[in-house]
Amino acid sequence: MNEPYDAIVVGARCAGSPVAMLLARRGHRVLVVDRTALPADTVSTHYLQQYGLARLQAWGLLDEVRATGAPPITSMTISYDDAVICGFADPIDGITATLAPRRTALDPVLLRAAEAAGAEVRLGVALRDLIVEDGVVRGVRLQSADGELVEERARVVIGADGARSRVAEAVGAGTYDVVEPSCFIYYSYWTGVPDTGFHSRIGLNQQQVGLWPTNDDRTMVAVMRTRDRYPEFRRDVERNFHEVCEQVVPDLAEQVRAGEQVERFIGIRYPDNYYRVSAGPGWALVGDAGYHKDPFTGKGMSDAFTHAELLAEKIAQGLAGRPMGDALTEYTMTRDAETQGAYRFTTMISDLALTPELQGLFRAVSGNDPATRQFLSMVGGGISGEDFFAPANIGTIMAAA
Ligand SMILES: Cc1cc2nc3c(=O)[nH]c(=O)nc-3n(C[C@H](O)[C@H](O)[C@H](O)COP(=O)(O)OP(=O)(O)OC[C@H]3O[C@@H](n4cnc5c(N)ncnc54)[C@H](O)[C@@H]3O)c2cc1C
Protein backbone atom coordinates (compact mmCIF):
# COMPACT_ATOMS: atom_id res chain seq x y z
CA MET A 1 0.00 0.00 0.00
CA ASN A 2 1.21 3.52 -0.84
CA GLU A 3 2.23 5.79 2.03
CA PRO A 4 -0.71 8.10 2.95
CA TYR A 5 -0.61 11.73 1.89
CA ASP A 6 -1.29 14.54 4.33
CA ALA A 7 -3.91 15.87 1.92
CA ILE A 8 -5.47 14.85 -1.39
CA VAL A 9 -7.07 17.68 -3.37
CA VAL A 10 -9.66 16.86 -6.02
CA GLY A 11 -9.83 19.66 -8.63
CA ALA A 12 -6.89 21.80 -9.73
CA ARG A 13 -8.21 25.22 -10.65
CA CYS A 14 -8.90 28.40 -8.58
CA ALA A 15 -9.59 26.60 -5.31
CA GLY A 16 -7.66 23.34 -5.65
CA SER A 17 -4.25 24.48 -6.87
CA PRO A 18 -3.85 27.23 -4.22
CA VAL A 19 -4.83 24.95 -1.32
CA ALA A 20 -2.40 22.30 -2.62
CA MET A 21 0.33 24.93 -3.07
CA LEU A 22 -0.13 26.45 0.39
CA LEU A 23 -0.08 23.07 2.14
CA ALA A 24 2.93 21.90 0.12
CA ARG A 25 4.77 25.14 0.91
CA ARG A 26 4.32 24.28 4.59
CA GLY A 27 6.11 20.99 3.91
CA HIS A 28 3.04 18.75 3.77
CA ARG A 29 2.76 15.81 1.40
CA VAL A 30 0.01 16.68 -1.06
CA LEU A 31 -1.55 15.02 -4.10
CA VAL A 32 -3.73 17.13 -6.41
CA VAL A 33 -5.76 15.48 -9.18
CA ASP A 34 -8.04 16.78 -11.91
CA ARG A 35 -10.08 14.76 -14.36
CA THR A 36 -9.38 17.41 -17.04
CA ALA A 37 -6.08 17.38 -18.92
CA LEU A 38 -5.30 20.97 -17.94
CA PRO A 39 -4.67 23.58 -19.29
CA ALA A 40 -8.18 23.82 -20.66
CA ASP A 41 -10.80 26.53 -20.78
CA THR A 42 -13.85 26.44 -18.54
CA VAL A 43 -17.11 28.38 -18.43
CA SER A 44 -16.18 31.62 -16.67
CA THR A 45 -15.87 35.29 -17.58
CA HIS A 46 -12.79 35.38 -15.33
CA TYR A 47 -12.77 38.91 -13.84
CA LEU A 48 -10.56 39.09 -10.74
CA GLN A 49 -11.40 41.53 -7.97
CA GLN A 50 -8.73 43.51 -6.11
CA TYR A 51 -8.99 41.23 -3.07
CA GLY A 52 -8.40 38.17 -5.27
CA LEU A 53 -5.39 39.79 -6.90
CA ALA A 54 -4.10 40.62 -3.41
CA ARG A 55 -4.02 36.89 -2.64
CA LEU A 56 -2.02 36.23 -5.85
CA GLN A 57 0.35 39.01 -4.81
CA ALA A 58 0.77 37.55 -1.32
CA TRP A 59 1.60 34.16 -2.85
CA GLY A 60 4.18 35.71 -5.22
CA LEU A 61 2.17 34.83 -8.34
CA LEU A 62 0.79 38.19 -9.45
CA ASP A 63 3.70 39.11 -11.74
CA GLU A 64 3.42 35.76 -13.51
CA VAL A 65 -0.31 36.28 -14.04
CA ARG A 66 0.30 39.83 -15.32
CA ALA A 67 2.97 38.46 -17.67
CA THR A 68 0.33 36.34 -19.42
CA GLY A 69 -0.70 39.60 -21.11
CA ALA A 70 -4.11 40.27 -19.55
CA PRO A 71 -4.27 44.09 -19.66
CA PRO A 72 -4.57 46.07 -16.41
CA ILE A 73 -8.05 47.51 -15.80
CA THR A 74 -8.13 50.90 -14.07
CA SER A 75 -11.62 52.11 -14.87
CA MET A 76 -14.92 50.58 -13.79
CA THR A 77 -18.36 51.56 -15.02
CA ILE A 78 -21.32 50.06 -13.22
CA SER A 79 -24.74 51.34 -14.16
CA TYR A 80 -28.42 50.81 -13.67
CA ASP A 81 -30.44 52.46 -16.43
CA ASP A 82 -29.29 56.13 -16.48
CA ALA A 83 -27.49 56.04 -13.10
CA VAL A 84 -23.84 55.52 -13.99
CA ILE A 85 -21.13 54.88 -11.39
CA CYS A 86 -17.72 55.37 -12.96
CA GLY A 87 -14.28 55.42 -11.37
CA PHE A 88 -11.95 53.06 -9.55
CA ALA A 89 -11.58 51.94 -5.96
CA ASP A 90 -8.76 53.13 -3.73
CA PRO A 91 -5.86 50.64 -3.62
CA ILE A 92 -6.58 47.42 -1.74
CA ASP A 93 -3.38 45.89 -0.33
CA GLY A 94 -1.52 47.98 -2.93
CA ILE A 95 -3.58 46.63 -5.84
CA THR A 96 -4.32 49.60 -8.11
CA ALA A 97 -5.57 47.73 -11.21
CA THR A 98 -7.63 44.63 -11.78
CA LEU A 99 -7.23 41.86 -14.38
CA ALA A 100 -9.46 39.41 -16.21
CA PRO A 101 -7.02 36.70 -17.33
CA ARG A 102 -8.37 33.83 -19.43
CA ARG A 103 -8.63 30.64 -17.45
CA THR A 104 -6.22 29.05 -19.93
CA ALA A 105 -3.71 31.67 -18.74
CA LEU A 106 -4.49 31.85 -15.00
CA ASP A 107 -5.12 28.23 -14.04
CA PRO A 108 -1.74 26.96 -15.33
CA VAL A 109 0.06 29.59 -13.20
CA LEU A 110 -1.76 28.28 -10.14
CA LEU A 111 -1.10 24.65 -10.99
CA ARG A 112 2.59 25.22 -11.74
CA ALA A 113 2.92 26.98 -8.37
CA ALA A 114 1.39 23.97 -6.61
CA GLU A 115 3.81 21.65 -8.41
CA ALA A 116 6.79 23.93 -7.74
CA ALA A 117 5.88 23.89 -4.04
CA GLY A 118 6.19 20.09 -4.07
CA ALA A 119 2.60 18.93 -4.60
CA GLU A 120 2.28 15.82 -6.75
CA VAL A 121 -0.01 16.53 -9.72
CA ARG A 122 -2.01 13.95 -11.67
CA LEU A 123 -4.15 15.18 -14.57
CA GLY A 124 -6.75 13.27 -16.55
CA VAL A 125 -7.50 11.40 -13.32
CA ALA A 126 -11.06 11.40 -11.95
CA LEU A 127 -12.28 10.81 -8.44
CA ARG A 128 -14.67 7.85 -8.59
CA ASP A 129 -15.29 7.31 -4.90
CA LEU A 130 -14.05 7.98 -1.41
CA ILE A 131 -12.58 5.40 0.94
CA VAL A 132 -14.67 5.71 4.10
CA GLU A 133 -13.95 3.68 7.24
CA ASP A 134 -16.08 3.97 10.40
CA GLY A 135 -17.62 7.17 9.04
CA VAL A 136 -14.25 8.82 8.42
CA VAL A 137 -12.95 9.64 4.93
CA ARG A 138 -9.55 7.97 4.62
CA GLY A 139 -8.75 8.35 0.94
CA VAL A 140 -9.87 8.24 -2.69
CA ARG A 141 -10.49 5.81 -5.52
CA LEU A 142 -9.15 7.37 -8.70
CA GLN A 143 -9.57 6.42 -12.33
CA SER A 144 -7.10 7.45 -15.00
CA ALA A 145 -8.01 8.09 -18.65
CA ASP A 146 -7.04 4.53 -19.61
CA GLY A 147 -9.50 3.18 -17.02
CA GLU A 148 -6.93 2.11 -14.42
CA LEU A 149 -8.23 2.36 -10.83
CA VAL A 150 -5.95 3.26 -7.94
CA GLU A 151 -6.51 3.92 -4.26
CA GLU A 152 -4.66 6.64 -2.36
CA ARG A 153 -4.99 7.49 1.32
CA ALA A 154 -4.70 10.80 3.15
CA ARG A 155 -5.37 12.51 6.50
CA VAL A 156 -7.81 14.79 4.72
CA VAL A 157 -9.51 14.79 1.30
CA ILE A 158 -10.39 18.20 -0.10
CA GLY A 159 -13.15 18.62 -2.69
CA ALA A 160 -12.18 21.56 -4.89
CA ASP A 161 -14.15 19.97 -7.69
CA GLY A 162 -16.64 22.68 -8.53
CA ALA A 163 -20.39 23.11 -8.22
CA ARG A 164 -21.17 19.49 -9.15
CA SER A 165 -18.69 18.22 -6.59
CA ARG A 166 -18.26 14.46 -6.55
CA VAL A 167 -16.68 14.72 -3.08
CA ALA A 168 -19.80 16.51 -1.80
CA GLU A 169 -22.01 13.88 -3.39
CA ALA A 170 -19.99 11.00 -1.92
CA VAL A 171 -20.14 12.36 1.63
CA GLY A 172 -23.79 13.46 1.22
CA ALA A 173 -23.03 17.12 2.02
CA GLY A 174 -26.31 19.04 2.18
CA THR A 175 -26.89 22.59 1.01
CA TYR A 176 -28.31 25.51 3.00
CA ASP A 177 -29.41 29.12 2.36
CA VAL A 178 -30.26 28.01 -1.17
CA VAL A 179 -31.56 30.73 -3.48
CA GLU A 180 -32.92 29.85 -6.91
CA PRO A 181 -30.90 31.32 -9.77
CA SER A 182 -32.40 34.20 -11.74
CA CYS A 183 -30.46 34.43 -14.95
CA PHE A 184 -28.70 32.87 -17.91
CA ILE A 185 -25.63 34.18 -19.71
CA TYR A 186 -24.24 34.15 -23.23
CA TYR A 187 -20.72 35.42 -23.82
CA SER A 188 -17.97 35.44 -26.41
CA TYR A 189 -14.77 37.25 -27.41
CA TRP A 190 -14.11 40.04 -29.91
CA THR A 191 -10.98 41.64 -31.33
CA GLY A 192 -10.82 45.23 -32.53
CA VAL A 193 -12.86 46.65 -29.62
CA PRO A 194 -11.21 49.66 -27.91
CA ASP A 195 -10.20 49.07 -24.27
CA THR A 196 -12.74 50.99 -22.17
CA GLY A 197 -12.08 49.11 -18.93
CA PHE A 198 -14.65 47.15 -16.97
CA HIS A 199 -18.38 47.55 -17.64
CA SER A 200 -21.26 45.97 -15.78
CA ARG A 201 -24.37 47.66 -17.11
CA ILE A 202 -27.97 46.86 -16.24
CA GLY A 203 -30.72 48.14 -18.48
CA LEU A 204 -34.46 48.24 -18.07
CA ASN A 205 -36.41 45.00 -18.55
CA GLN A 206 -33.91 42.94 -16.56
CA GLN A 207 -31.07 42.75 -19.03
CA GLN A 208 -27.36 43.21 -18.43
CA VAL A 209 -24.18 43.58 -20.45
CA GLY A 210 -20.69 42.85 -19.11
CA LEU A 211 -17.59 43.82 -21.06
CA TRP A 212 -13.88 43.80 -20.19
CA PRO A 213 -10.50 43.29 -21.87
CA THR A 214 -8.56 40.03 -21.58
CA ASN A 215 -5.54 38.25 -23.06
CA ASP A 216 -4.59 38.30 -26.75
CA ASP A 217 -6.19 41.75 -27.37
CA ARG A 218 -9.61 40.17 -26.97
CA THR A 219 -12.62 41.68 -25.27
CA MET A 220 -15.04 39.48 -23.34
CA VAL A 221 -18.63 40.56 -23.94
CA ALA A 222 -21.49 38.95 -22.01
CA VAL A 223 -25.25 39.33 -22.01
CA MET A 224 -27.35 38.24 -19.04
CA ARG A 225 -31.13 37.95 -18.93
CA THR A 226 -33.69 36.32 -16.67
CA ARG A 227 -34.25 32.61 -17.18
CA ASP A 228 -37.81 32.98 -18.47
CA ARG A 229 -36.27 34.58 -21.61
CA TYR A 230 -33.92 31.66 -22.24
CA PRO A 231 -35.98 29.63 -24.76
CA GLU A 232 -36.71 32.73 -26.83
CA PHE A 233 -33.10 34.03 -26.63
CA ARG A 234 -31.44 30.81 -27.74
CA ARG A 235 -33.59 30.61 -30.88
CA ASP A 236 -31.35 33.33 -32.40
CA VAL A 237 -28.44 33.99 -30.06
CA GLU A 238 -26.50 36.35 -32.32
CA ARG A 239 -29.42 38.65 -33.10
CA ASN A 240 -30.69 38.69 -29.51
CA PHE A 241 -27.19 39.23 -28.10
CA HIS A 242 -26.56 42.34 -30.18
CA GLU A 243 -30.09 43.60 -29.60
CA VAL A 244 -29.56 43.55 -25.82
CA CYS A 245 -26.19 45.31 -26.25
CA GLU A 246 -27.86 48.02 -28.34
CA GLN A 247 -30.60 48.55 -25.77
CA VAL A 248 -28.36 48.56 -22.69
CA VAL A 249 -25.10 50.12 -23.96
CA PRO A 250 -25.64 51.64 -27.42
CA ASP A 251 -22.15 53.23 -27.50
CA LEU A 252 -20.35 49.98 -26.65
CA ALA A 253 -22.66 47.96 -28.92
CA GLU A 254 -21.43 49.93 -31.92
CA GLN A 255 -17.80 49.19 -31.00
CA VAL A 256 -18.56 45.49 -30.59
CA ARG A 257 -20.35 45.37 -33.95
CA ALA A 258 -17.33 47.04 -35.58
CA GLY A 259 -15.00 44.41 -34.08
CA GLU A 260 -14.63 40.76 -35.06
CA GLN A 261 -16.13 37.93 -33.04
CA VAL A 262 -13.33 35.36 -32.81
CA GLU A 263 -14.85 32.63 -30.64
CA ARG A 264 -18.20 30.88 -30.50
CA PHE A 265 -20.91 31.90 -28.04
CA ILE A 266 -20.97 30.08 -24.71
CA GLY A 267 -24.33 30.04 -22.95
CA ILE A 268 -25.56 28.53 -19.69
CA ARG A 269 -28.37 28.88 -17.21
CA TYR A 270 -26.82 29.57 -13.82
CA PRO A 271 -27.01 26.86 -11.16
CA ASP A 272 -28.50 27.52 -7.69
CA ASN A 273 -26.92 29.88 -5.20
CA TYR A 274 -25.99 27.83 -2.10
CA TYR A 275 -23.75 27.09 0.79
CA ARG A 276 -22.86 23.43 1.31
CA VAL A 277 -21.87 21.76 4.55
CA SER A 278 -18.14 21.95 3.88
CA ALA A 279 -16.37 19.83 6.45
CA GLY A 280 -16.71 16.48 8.17
CA PRO A 281 -14.49 13.66 9.43
CA GLY A 282 -11.53 13.51 7.05
CA TRP A 283 -12.94 15.83 4.38
CA ALA A 284 -13.53 19.45 3.41
CA LEU A 285 -14.93 21.40 0.47
CA VAL A 286 -13.55 24.64 -0.98
CA GLY A 287 -14.41 26.95 -3.87
CA ASP A 288 -17.67 26.41 -5.76
CA ALA A 289 -17.92 22.91 -4.26
CA GLY A 290 -18.78 24.49 -0.90
CA TYR A 291 -20.17 27.92 -1.71
CA HIS A 292 -21.63 29.11 -4.98
CA LYS A 293 -23.36 32.30 -6.02
CA ASP A 294 -24.47 34.07 -9.17
CA PRO A 295 -21.42 35.45 -11.03
CA PHE A 296 -23.13 38.89 -11.01
CA THR A 297 -20.73 40.23 -8.36
CA GLY A 298 -17.67 38.52 -9.90
CA LYS A 299 -16.46 36.96 -6.67
CA GLY A 300 -16.24 33.22 -7.39
CA MET A 301 -12.55 33.05 -8.26
CA SER A 302 -11.43 35.62 -5.69
CA ASP A 303 -13.44 33.84 -2.99
CA ALA A 304 -11.91 30.52 -4.07
CA PHE A 305 -8.44 32.01 -3.44
CA THR A 306 -9.45 33.50 -0.08
CA HIS A 307 -11.05 30.28 1.15
CA ALA A 308 -8.23 28.09 -0.17
CA GLU A 309 -5.87 30.12 2.02
CA LEU A 310 -8.18 29.88 5.02
CA LEU A 311 -8.63 26.14 4.58
CA ALA A 312 -4.90 25.50 4.13
CA GLU A 313 -4.21 27.37 7.38
CA LYS A 314 -6.82 25.36 9.31
CA ILE A 315 -5.71 22.00 7.85
CA ALA A 316 -2.10 22.86 8.70
CA GLN A 317 -3.22 23.44 12.30
CA GLY A 318 -4.98 20.05 12.24
CA LEU A 319 -1.90 18.32 10.83
CA ALA A 320 0.19 20.00 13.55
CA GLY A 321 -1.87 18.46 16.35
CA ARG A 322 -5.01 20.56 16.82
CA PRO A 323 -8.12 18.35 16.58
CA MET A 324 -8.79 18.40 12.82
CA GLY A 325 -12.57 18.54 13.37
CA ASP A 326 -12.23 21.79 15.38
CA ALA A 327 -9.95 23.32 12.76
CA LEU A 328 -12.31 22.43 9.90
CA THR A 329 -15.38 23.68 11.77
CA GLU A 330 -13.62 27.00 12.27
CA TYR A 331 -12.90 27.11 8.54
CA THR A 332 -16.57 26.78 7.59
CA MET A 333 -17.78 29.16 10.29
CA THR A 334 -15.29 31.85 9.27
CA ARG A 335 -16.10 31.41 5.58
CA ASP A 336 -19.83 31.71 6.20
CA ALA A 337 -19.54 34.69 8.54
CA GLU A 338 -17.28 36.59 6.16
CA THR A 339 -19.43 35.99 3.07
CA GLN A 340 -22.99 36.40 4.40
CA GLY A 341 -23.28 40.09 3.47
CA ALA A 342 -21.93 39.63 -0.05
CA TYR A 343 -24.11 36.55 -0.56
CA ARG A 344 -27.24 38.44 0.46
CA PHE A 345 -26.33 41.39 -1.78
CA THR A 346 -25.54 39.11 -4.75
CA THR A 347 -28.75 37.14 -4.51
CA MET A 348 -30.77 40.32 -3.97
CA ILE A 349 -29.43 42.13 -7.03
CA SER A 350 -28.88 39.24 -9.44
CA ASP A 351 -32.39 39.24 -10.91
CA LEU A 352 -31.36 42.54 -12.54
CA ALA A 353 -34.36 44.39 -11.09
CA LEU A 354 -33.24 46.83 -8.43
CA THR A 355 -35.54 47.73 -5.56
CA PRO A 356 -36.58 51.42 -5.49
CA GLU A 357 -34.20 51.89 -2.53
CA LEU A 358 -31.24 50.47 -4.47
CA GLN A 359 -32.17 52.51 -7.55
CA GLY A 360 -32.16 55.63 -5.36
CA LEU A 361 -28.79 54.63 -3.93
CA PHE A 362 -27.30 54.07 -7.40
CA ARG A 363 -28.43 57.57 -8.39
CA ALA A 364 -27.01 59.06 -5.20
CA VAL A 365 -23.64 57.32 -5.63
CA SER A 366 -23.23 58.31 -9.29
CA GLY A 367 -21.52 61.67 -9.52
CA ASN A 368 -20.48 61.59 -5.84
CA ASP A 369 -16.75 60.91 -5.98
CA PRO A 370 -16.07 59.70 -2.40
CA ALA A 371 -19.24 57.54 -2.49
CA THR A 372 -18.20 56.12 -5.89
CA ARG A 373 -14.77 55.14 -4.54
CA GLN A 374 -16.40 53.61 -1.48
CA PHE A 375 -18.94 51.66 -3.59
CA LEU A 376 -16.20 50.37 -5.90
CA SER A 377 -14.10 49.50 -2.87
CA MET A 378 -16.99 47.33 -1.65
CA VAL A 379 -17.09 45.66 -5.08
CA GLY A 380 -13.31 45.12 -4.99
CA GLY A 381 -13.33 43.72 -1.45
CA GLY A 382 -11.76 46.69 0.36
CA ILE A 383 -14.73 47.32 2.64
CA SER A 384 -17.52 44.98 3.61
CA GLY A 385 -21.10 45.18 2.37
CA GLU A 386 -22.13 45.58 6.02
CA ASP A 387 -19.98 48.74 6.32
CA PHE A 388 -21.13 50.19 3.01
CA PHE A 389 -24.82 49.52 3.69
CA ALA A 390 -24.64 50.66 7.34
CA PRO A 391 -27.58 53.06 7.90
CA ALA A 392 -25.27 55.94 8.89
CA ASN A 393 -23.20 55.55 5.71
CA ILE A 394 -26.23 55.29 3.44
CA GLY A 395 -27.70 58.31 5.23
CA THR A 396 -24.58 60.38 4.46
CA ILE A 397 -24.62 59.36 0.78
CA MET A 398 -28.35 60.05 0.38
CA ALA A 399 -28.09 63.41 2.18
CA ALA A 400 -25.41 64.55 -0.27
CA ALA A 401 -27.53 63.61 -3.30
C1 LIG B 1 -20.71 32.05 -16.74
C2 LIG B 1 -19.84 32.23 -15.55
C3 LIG B 1 -19.11 33.39 -15.41
C4 LIG B 1 -18.30 33.59 -14.30
N1 LIG B 1 -17.58 34.74 -14.21
C5 LIG B 1 -16.80 34.95 -13.14
C6 LIG B 1 -16.02 36.15 -13.03
O1 LIG B 1 -16.04 37.01 -13.91
N2 LIG B 1 -15.25 36.30 -11.91
C7 LIG B 1 -15.22 35.36 -10.93
O2 LIG B 1 -14.51 35.55 -9.94
N3 LIG B 1 -15.93 34.22 -11.01
C8 LIG B 1 -16.70 33.99 -12.09
N4 LIG B 1 -17.40 32.83 -12.19
C9 LIG B 1 -17.29 31.84 -11.12
C10 LIG B 1 -15.96 31.10 -11.20
O3 LIG B 1 -15.76 30.61 -12.50
C11 LIG B 1 -15.95 29.97 -10.17
O4 LIG B 1 -16.31 30.51 -8.92
C12 LIG B 1 -14.57 29.34 -10.05
O5 LIG B 1 -14.21 28.74 -11.28
C13 LIG B 1 -14.58 28.29 -8.95
O6 LIG B 1 -13.33 27.64 -8.95
P1 LIG B 1 -13.21 26.17 -8.38
O7 LIG B 1 -11.75 25.85 -8.42
O8 LIG B 1 -13.94 26.07 -7.10
O9 LIG B 1 -14.03 25.23 -9.38
P2 LIG B 1 -13.88 24.97 -10.93
O10 LIG B 1 -13.25 26.13 -11.62
O11 LIG B 1 -15.22 24.53 -11.37
O12 LIG B 1 -12.85 23.76 -11.03
C14 LIG B 1 -13.20 22.47 -10.59
C15 LIG B 1 -12.21 21.46 -11.16
O13 LIG B 1 -12.54 20.19 -10.58
C16 LIG B 1 -12.37 19.19 -11.57
N5 LIG B 1 -13.22 18.05 -11.22
C17 LIG B 1 -14.58 18.01 -11.12
N6 LIG B 1 -14.99 16.78 -10.79
C18 LIG B 1 -13.87 16.01 -10.67
C19 LIG B 1 -13.66 14.64 -10.36
N7 LIG B 1 -14.67 13.78 -10.09
N8 LIG B 1 -12.38 14.17 -10.35
C20 LIG B 1 -11.34 15.02 -10.61
N9 LIG B 1 -11.50 16.32 -10.93
C21 LIG B 1 -12.74 16.81 -10.95
C22 LIG B 1 -12.82 19.87 -12.87
O14 LIG B 1 -12.24 19.22 -14.00
C23 LIG B 1 -12.30 21.29 -12.67
O15 LIG B 1 -11.03 21.48 -13.27
C24 LIG B 1 -18.21 32.59 -13.30
C25 LIG B 1 -18.93 31.40 -13.44
C26 LIG B 1 -19.73 31.22 -14.55
C27 LIG B 1 -20.49 29.93 -14.69
Side-chain angles (χ1 to χ4, degrees):
M1 190 191 294
N2 297 335
E3 193 194 330
Y5 292 89
D6 292 321
I8 294 175
V9 185
V10 182
R13 289 191 188 263
C14 292
S17 288
V19 81
M21 173 192 75
L22 293 168
L23 285 169
R25 281 184 180 177
R26 287 176 153 97
H28 296 300
R29 194 163 169 263
V30 181
L31 169 66
V32 55
V33 303
D34 201 297
R35 67 179 173 200
T36 305
L38 300 167
D41 208 358
T42 188
V43 178
S44 179
T45 52
H46 47 80
Y47 177 77
L48 281 171
Q49 304 287 358
Q50 281 164 291
Y51 73 100
L53 292 164
R55 298 330 316 134
L56 293 176
Q57 178 174 255
W59 303 337
L61 303 179
L62 183 55
D63 286 345
E64 207 181 328
V65 174
R66 284 193 184 120
T68 66
I73 296 171
T74 53
S75 146
M76 294 182 77
T77 308
I78 297 179
S79 66
Y80 178 74
D81 190 20
D82 57 354
V84 182
I85 299 171
C86 189
F88 202 77
D90 291 335
I92 297 173
D93 290 343
I95 303 293
T96 54
T98 52
L99 296 174
R102 291 296 292 263
R103 296 292 294 267
T104 45
L106 173 71
D107 294 3
V109 173
L110 303 173
L111 186 56
R112 274 199 301 275
E115 201 162 23
E120 183 184 332
V121 176
R122 296 187 206 166
L123 300 176
V125 170
L127 173 76
R128 286 291 166 238
D129 218 339
L130 298 174
I131 302 167
V132 184
E133 292 165 355
D134 300 325
V136 179
V137 173
R138 303 282 187 195
V140 293
R141 294 194 180 87
L142 302 171
Q143 186 169 28
S144 57
D146 60 11
E148 192 196 348
L149 284 168
V150 289
E151 290 194 353
E152 298 290 357
R153 290 178 169 258
R155 290 278 306 279
V156 61
V157 173
I158 300 162
D161 48 347
R164 294 201 193 122
S165 169
R166 174 72 191 112
V167 175
E169 184 187 37
V171 295
T175 50
Y176 52 99
D177 288 354
V178 177
V179 178
E180 277 188 17
S182 303
C183 285
F184 69 88
I185 182 172
Y186 271 89
Y187 69 95
S188 184
Y189 296 86
W190 275 257
T191 54
V193 178
D195 181 352
T196 57
F198 171 98
H199 290 262
S200 171
R201 315 283 294 269
I202 308 175
L204 297 176
N205 302 321
Q206 293 170 287
Q207 41 191 3
Q208 184 192 7
V209 173
L211 180 150
W212 42 87
T214 184
N215 301 75
D216 305 319
D217 296 320
R218 292 178 185 198
T219 300
M220 191 295 305
V221 188
V223 161
M224 282 67 66
R225 295 217 71 178
T226 47
R227 285 163 71 103
D228 54 312
R229 306 284 188 145
Y230 186 67
E232 170 203 329
F233 193 97
R234 66 194 295 224
R235 274 201 281 275
D236 189 344
V237 171
E238 188 169 1
R239 186 176 64 81
N240 288 320
F241 188 96
H242 288 288
E243 202 172 280
V244 173
C245 290
E246 271 149 29
Q247 283 173 22
V248 179
V249 278
D251 48 330
L252 297 174
E254 209 171 294
Q255 295 175 357
V256 173
R257 277 238 189 251
E260 184 188 355
Q261 185 179 352
V262 289
E263 298 185 34
R264 68 189 173 90
F265 281 110
I266 308 272
I268 63 156
R269 281 174 289 187
Y270 291 147
D272 277 352
N273 303 278
Y274 60 78
Y275 286 91
R276 239 187 219 131
V277 174
S278 291
W283 62 273
L285 304 176
V286 67
D288 278 7
Y291 167 50
H292 175 268
K293 62 275 165 199
D294 190 302
F296 183 91
T297 37
K299 287 177 171 288
M301 296 154 64
S302 298
D303 279 354
F305 296 167
T306 305
H307 300 144
E309 189 168 87
L310 178 65
L311 179 60
E313 184 194 320
K314 296 302 164 196
I315 288 178
Q317 291 171 2
L319 292 170
R322 181 181 179 193
M324 187 65 90
D326 291 357
L328 293 179
T329 300
E330 200 169 277
Y331 154 69
T332 59
M333 287 175 69
T334 307
R335 180 199 67 182
D336 289 12
E338 289 179 354
T339 53
Q340 273 296 310
Y343 185 68
R344 270 200 308 276
F345 179 64
T346 302
T347 50
M348 185 173 70
I349 201 171
S350 59
D351 66 355
L352 311 178
L354 270 63
T355 59
E357 293 75 28
L358 267 179
Q359 286 181 38
L361 183 62
F362 257 66
R363 293 218 156 75
V365 171
S366 69
N368 174 338
D369 193 43
T372 292
R373 287 210 313 278
Q374 211 191 29
F375 177 83
L376 295 175
S377 189
M378 175 188 68
V379 173
I383 64 165
S384 70
E386 283 82 355
D387 284 347
F388 181 80
F389 286 104
N393 193 45
I394 296 300
T396 307
I397 294 170
M398 296 308 286

